[in-house]
Every structure is written in structure tokens, then in C-alpha cells.
Amino acid sequence: MFVSSDAAKLTSVILGFKSLMKPFDWSYTLAPNLPAAMQGILESPIPMLVGISRELLHSIREEDSLDQDSIDSKTWVFLDKDEGPLSNNLSYQNL
């Protein structure tokens, strides 16, 4: 899960990350910029490369629409240098 407030950066990083896997093919969920209407896919237990806008992540946290198990089962990478995890009780990585 990649998080950024810049949609172009999200798309570039997700597609770049996918191309680094060659000669392997990514055959799972790939969403460079996940729309809010599809946020339910975040609870899926399948592997995924997903880009999430910072605003969508804020709304997910405010609504508590993502349970702690779903949060803990994912690796979260924040791409914005000046922004980090939303709270201390979430298991996010800031790279």
C-alpha cells in the first residue's frame, strides 16, 4: 500500500514497482490510484499493489471502515517526505 497526496507520484511508483518484478508478472490486484468507491478491496486478503491518496486514507481512518487486522496485514509506504503515519497505534512504514 503506497500513500501519497500526489496522484502522479502514486501512479509512477506503483507502475515502476511492478516493472521491477520482471521477469515475473504481477497477476494480482493492481490499482495505481484507488478510487474511494473501491476502498472495500483493502480488506481483501489477496496480494495487491495499491496507491491510496492521503485524503482517502484520512477518510478511511475517520470512518473506521478498515479494521485493525486489515491494517496489520498490509505494508504501508508513505511517499510524501513531509507526511508520516496517521497515528501511533497503526502499523505503517514511512520510507
Side-chain angles (χ1 to χ4, degrees):
M1 312 306 272
F2 293 88
V3 180
S4 178
S5 55
D6 183 356
K9 186 187 296 185
L10 276 175
T11 302
S12 296
V13 169
I14 294 286
L15 296 179
F17 195 78
K18 179 185 177 277
S19 70
L20 287 174
M21 293 182 196
K22 288 184 180 178
F24 303 107
D25 282 332
W26 183 258
S27 58
Y28 299 103
T29 303
L30 176 72
N33 196 353
L34 189 73
M38 293 182 63
Q39 71 183 18
I41 199 166
L42 298 176
E43 295 188 32
S44 174
I46 62 171
M48 60 183 76
L49 283 174
V50 175
I52 301 174
S53 70
R54 187 75 177 175
E55 296 77 25
L56 178 58
L57 187 58
H58 278 289
S59 70
I60 289 170
R61 288 299 303 148
E62 287 174 5
E63 298 169 4
D64 279 335
S65 60
L66 196 59
D67 63 13
Q68 193 64 38
D69 289 336
S70 294
I71 292 170
D72 291 340
S73 68
K74 311 274 188 274
T75 300
W76 296 83
V77 180
F78 290 85
L79 302 176
D80 297 333
K81 184 177 179 182
D82 57 337
E83 297 180 17
L86 296 176
S87 70
N88 292 334
N89 65 343
L90 299 178
S91 48
Y92 292 135
Q93 286 181 298
N94 192 3
L95 301 177

